[in-house]
Amino acid sequence: MQDEHVKDIAALLKTMSHPIRLKILCMLQEKEMAVGDIREEVKTTNANVSQHLSILRNQGIVSSRKDANFIYNKIEDERILELIAKMRELFCEV
Amino acid sequence: MQDEHVKDIAALLKTMSHPIRLKILCMLQEKEMAVGDIREEVKTTNANVSQHLSILRNQGIVSSRKDANFIYNKIEDERILELIAKMRELFCEV
DNA sequence: TTAGTATTAAATTAAAAGCTTAAATAGCTG
DNA sequence: CAGCTATTTAAGCTTTTAATTTAATACTAA
């Protein structure tokens, strides 16, 4: 693995390494969700969820679409879906 | 994914998300290495490598054996090998 | 247009992580 | 034992990161 890859992947892992952000990514595996929906599950403030979402968007992991008052978020990068699936397989099952 | 898993995996990712530590883990995929060997490749001080290794050991990711003056390190957790292989496949190839 | 809801931005404060340097430990070898 | 090498630990300092609060913006529907 070249240094440039190491740098990029480290940055990706760092973005994913916050419990709230990781949980958001897990929830977004199944369906797209608005900020309010996410807030209910992770038990924090709207503003806090929004901040974490913007970190995920800046990394290119999550994308958003706007519909009326709501902004729906989903995982943009297919590879993240695969990576999380692998982590589930390795660390959650059996 | 339950909250406990989220917490554990987030901690694991955090440990792996430092460029030096990630590079160390990549190097240890192939063979065990002493602190000095690692230092040559990551361009920092012995003390710094040692500190990063102790973080990796505390997480249970890396184990060490002593031989004469040298301490040889290797990846202890098979799942980390698999996870890094997956990351390579997703983010480094093609 | 106004009230209400959802989202974002900015600023502050507190906590954690990282690097450097220097000192300490452990084991080999002459 | 004395000197050398490899590694670890500790202290001090700086930089990042996290969480919270507050203010601002955007849109909808009555």
Side-chain angles (χ1 to χ4, degrees), chain B residues 49-62:
Chain B
V49 170
S50 181
Q51 283 164 358
H52 284 301
L53 280 171
S54 95
I55 291 170
L56 291 168
R57 283 186 208 119
N58 290 341
Q59 251 302 320
I61 299 177
V62 163

Side-chain angles (χ1 to χ4, degrees), chain A residues 54-87:
Chain A
S54 92
I55 292 170
L56 291 168
R57 281 186 211 117
N58 290 341
Q59 247 310 311
I61 299 177
V62 162
S63 67
S64 314
R65 76 179 168 85
K66 188 155 197 168
D67 183 13
N69 271 348
F70 301 89
I71 295 185
Y72 292 97
N73 301 276
K74 69 171 182 182
I75 292 183
E76 178 62 28
D77 188 334
E78 281 289 326
R79 297 172 300 182
I80 304 299
L81 290 172
E82 258 200 79
L83 184 59
I84 292 181
K86 188 69 179 179
M87 294 191 309

Side-chain angles (χ1 to χ4, degrees), chain B residues 17-85:
Chain B
S17 72
H18 189 287
I20 290 182
R21 288 195 293 270
L22 184 57
K23 182 158 184 177
I24 290 174
L25 290 176
C26 286
M27 295 191 296
L28 293 183
Q29 289 253 303
E30 290 144 32
K31 57 179 186 295
E32 63 177 16
M33 297 177 79
V35 176
D37 303 329
I38 294 171
R39 190 213 56 235
E40 285 178 29
E41 295 213 39
V42 298
K43 307 272 194 190
T44 180
T45 59
N46 268 0
N48 192 222
V49 170
S50 181
Q51 283 164 358
H52 284 301
L53 280 171
S54 95
I55 291 170
L56 291 168
R57 283 186 208 119
N58 290 341
Q59 251 302 320
I61 299 177
V62 163
S63 66
S64 314
R65 76 177 170 86
K66 188 155 196 169
D67 182 13
N69 272 347
F70 300 88
I71 295 186
Y72 291 97
N73 300 276
K74 69 170 182 182
I75 293 183
E76 178 61 29
D77 188 334
E78 281 289 326
R79 297 171 301 180
I80 303 299
L81 291 172
E82 258 200 79
L83 184 59
I84 292 180

